Amino acid sequence: MSDFNDFNNPQVAKLPKHLRQFIVEQHYEKYTPIDQAVWRYVMRQNYSYLKHVAYYPYIKGLQRAGLSIERIPDLQTMNDNLGKLGWGAVTVDGFIPPAAFMEYQAYHVLVIAADIRQINHIEYTPAPDIIHESAGHAPIIADADYNSYLSYFGSIGAKAMFSSKDFELYEAIRHLSILKEAVDTNQTEIEKAEKHLRKIADNMGEPSEMALLGRLHWWTVEYGLIGTLKNPKIYGAGLLSSIGESSTCMKEDVEKLWYTMDTINYQYDITKPQPQLFVTETFQNLIDVLEQFADTMSFRRGGAESIHKAIECKNPATAVYSSGLQVTGTFTDMGTNEKGELSFIKTTGGTALAVENKQLEGHGKHYHKDGFSSPVGKLKGINTSVEEMNATELEMHGISAGQHANLIFESGIQVKGEVTHILRHEDKNILISLENCTVKEASGNILFQPEWGTYDMAVGEKIISVFNGSADKEAFDEIIHISQKKTHKITYDEHTQHLHQLYARVRSIREDNINTEELPGLFLFLKNEYPEDWLCALEILEIVYHKKLFPELEGEIRNYLTYKATTKSDYRKLITDGLIVIENPVNQLITEED
């Protein structure tokens, strides 16, 4: 990807190609004047309310992340500022798969949806947007304890095993969020997508590691509270970016519970306000709970249970032998002994072998294009495992270049063939290559035949770790699941484009303090041509109120907005909150905080 823009940010520059494939250009010029007004409205509301309930100094956090209340952030400015905190940011197209999202966090890169919510979803959007991602996640990055948790969560999450059903759920969530944020979707289509999502969600079976981690992520990074049950503060980005839910979540009917390992038992619904939230006393507690959960995961446990998860995943995963050898491929079969311990593992299709996350020369997925299979365990009647044997011990058991070996494992699997090569790494034997080789189970079932070519036998008494994805991602050239459904791009008609021009004119008058005499005419045009609009009317009122201009116009706009708030329930809170911020200006509040 030669044209990759890393924004001169070291963290973004380190992103591997399998993550770069999700990045899209921000196209700042495509944000409309209404988009800019939506950003400004939400951010002014956020600050007005969040100064009381947010965990950290909101404005200072915004400024350190390169954000302002006045306009949508530009990615270069954000990267310049986040770079000083050891982080970076990139823009993507809506929801990306959880595994990729987690891995970005591990690389200290924030993933920001390039789109911004439509004005009809100004309080809450079902789709990721630039308000949620940048104004929610970025400001708290300045807190060292929190960003340690975020990056550590990413490194754990990137290893989490997912199920094939997780993919279906991800696609259903992404599809619904795109429909809900689109301008012209009919209600029947949305209801159909909601029904489809519910059907998948209700038939997930046992939740995967990724699903459980997703819950921990949701109840902390997205919807977390910190402090005490009686007086919690908001740090979750989903709450910080929702001017509706950040207010309602503090009410008593939203139950507040302590954040513990038990939190993994609470599912969540992205389409509804949350019935309960979880409070942590410290960010260190988040790390402690994450550690506790990580101890239950395949990458730390290994064994048959973990290979079973890899088989269910139906996507590339990596199994690590106790010798250090890593096998990456799509696992399709395994064998166990009477104690339930692994005796054999098998992949189908392109498979690669690696050590310490570096692919072994000559053992990429094109060489092992038809899959890979190998025993697991010790040789029968021999205490020393093959991986630990020195040259003398190996020779004693017929494992030496040029010798004919007849290896019988405790499981009964027999490997017979001529040894051609023994690969060692850090005093351990990790791979034995044999020609004219036959491998069969105790039952007589053939696992490998001489005519299939060279048999590369992995060496290791146990599988000590299994994790999602490949060991050497660059060499494996892993392409993560990318959705074919794209977010909707709006084409504006001429009538709407004139409204954009009107918003731009009002902003220009406010910012440049010129041509205020145009305001009465602009409001009259707005009222007659765009009777559904409320936000531009608020912005005109803001100017005349603060500059003490046109008292009659001010009264007319107030009456107009009051009537709207009374007759249109959807507008009531938005207009009321907008009037409060006009009369208690944010700039004044910022000065008071500083």
Side-chain angles (χ1 to χ4, degrees), residues 41-339:
Y41 177 90
V42 172
M43 295 304 290
R44 281 157 58 85
Q45 291 297 328
N46 275 357
Y47 182 68
S48 178
Y49 176 67
L50 293 174
K51 63 186 170 63
H52 300 298
V53 295
Y55 168 66
Y56 56 96
Y58 194 64
I59 290 298
K60 288 185 175 67
L62 287 172
Q63 288 169 342
R64 290 193 70 182
L67 304 171
S68 86
I69 281 180
E70 287 299 313
R71 59 187 69 243
I72 296 168
D74 138 79
L75 213 53
Q76 184 61 61
T77 306
M78 281 192 73
N79 272 293
D80 291 344
N81 285 270
L82 288 171
K84 296 169 189 170
L85 303 171
W87 281 72
V90 295
T91 40
V92 298
D93 184 47
F95 278 113
I96 65 171
F101 185 86
M102 300 284 185
E103 203 174 348
Y104 273 106
Q105 281 182 201
Y107 277 93
H108 288 222
V109 174
L110 286 179
V111 176
I112 297 175
D115 293 333
I116 186 166
R117 66 193 64 179
Q118 296 301 303
I119 192 168
N120 56 323
H121 291 147
I122 196 165
E123 286 195 281
Y124 170 79
T125 172
D129 82 326
I130 195 163
I131 295 179
H132 168 82
E133 307 290 353
S134 57
H137 288 293
I140 200 168
I141 289 291
D143 186 293
D145 288 343
Y146 178 76
N147 79 45
S148 294
Y149 169 68
L150 201 60
S151 57
Y152 188 51
F153 199 110
S155 64
I156 299 291
K159 295 184 175 76
M161 297 302 300
F162 47 78
S163 72
S164 48
K165 287 186 177 179
D166 288 338
F167 275 138
E168 292 178 49
L169 185 67
Y170 156 71
E171 280 287 7
I173 289 173
R174 179 178 164 88
H175 178 57
L176 177 60
S177 74
I178 289 170
L179 287 180
K180 282 195 164 188
E181 188 56 21
V183 174
D184 51 359
T185 311
N186 66 55
Q187 194 56 35
T188 308
E189 209 176 341
I190 289 175
E191 286 169 8
K192 184 181 172 186
E194 284 178 333
K195 189 177 177 183
H196 179 60
L197 171 58
R198 183 69 51 231
K199 184 180 177 184
I200 293 172
D202 290 345
N203 293 281
M204 292 293 288
E206 195 69 26
S208 67
E209 290 176 358
M210 184 59 85
L212 294 175
L213 264 178
R215 293 176 189 177
L216 295 187
H217 197 270
W218 183 264
W219 298 123
T220 59
V221 174
E222 297 295 351
Y223 278 78
L225 301 175
I226 188 167
T228 64
L229 294 183
K230 293 289 183 192
N231 185 30
K233 300 292 185 186
I234 296 172
Y235 72 88
L239 293 174
L240 291 175
S241 60
S242 168
I243 55 178
E245 206 167 354
S246 61
S247 171
T248 58
C249 79
M250 288 302 180
K251 294 180 179 174
E252 286 188 8
D253 59 344
V254 178
E255 190 178 8
K256 312 300 188 297
L257 303 170
W258 285 117
Y259 179 74
T260 66
M261 180 72 165
D262 185 53
T263 305
I264 63 167
N265 297 317
Y266 288 80
Q267 297 183 51
Y268 59 88
D269 184 338
I270 68 157
T271 65
K272 297 176 183 173
Q274 309 311 312
Q276 79 283 307
L277 295 172
F278 295 88
V279 184
T280 185
E281 283 189 279
T282 63
F283 287 137
Q284 182 56 47
N285 178 53
L286 303 186
I287 293 176
D288 294 343
V289 170
L290 182 58
E291 267 297 296
Q292 206 179 338
F293 181 73
D295 284 340
T296 71
M297 291 172 65
S298 298
F299 84 97
R300 287 191 180 171
R301 290 172 72 93
E305 179 191 357
S306 300
I307 292 292
H308 178 73
K309 289 179 183 177
I311 292 170
E312 213 294 305
C313 175
K314 298 178 183 171
N315 275 270
T318 297
V320 186
Y321 277 83
S322 46
S323 63
L325 183 73
Q326 298 167 309
V327 180
T328 295
T330 302
F331 287 84
T332 51
D333 198 8
M334 66 179 189
T336 55
N337 61 21
E338 62 281 357
K339 295 179 186 174

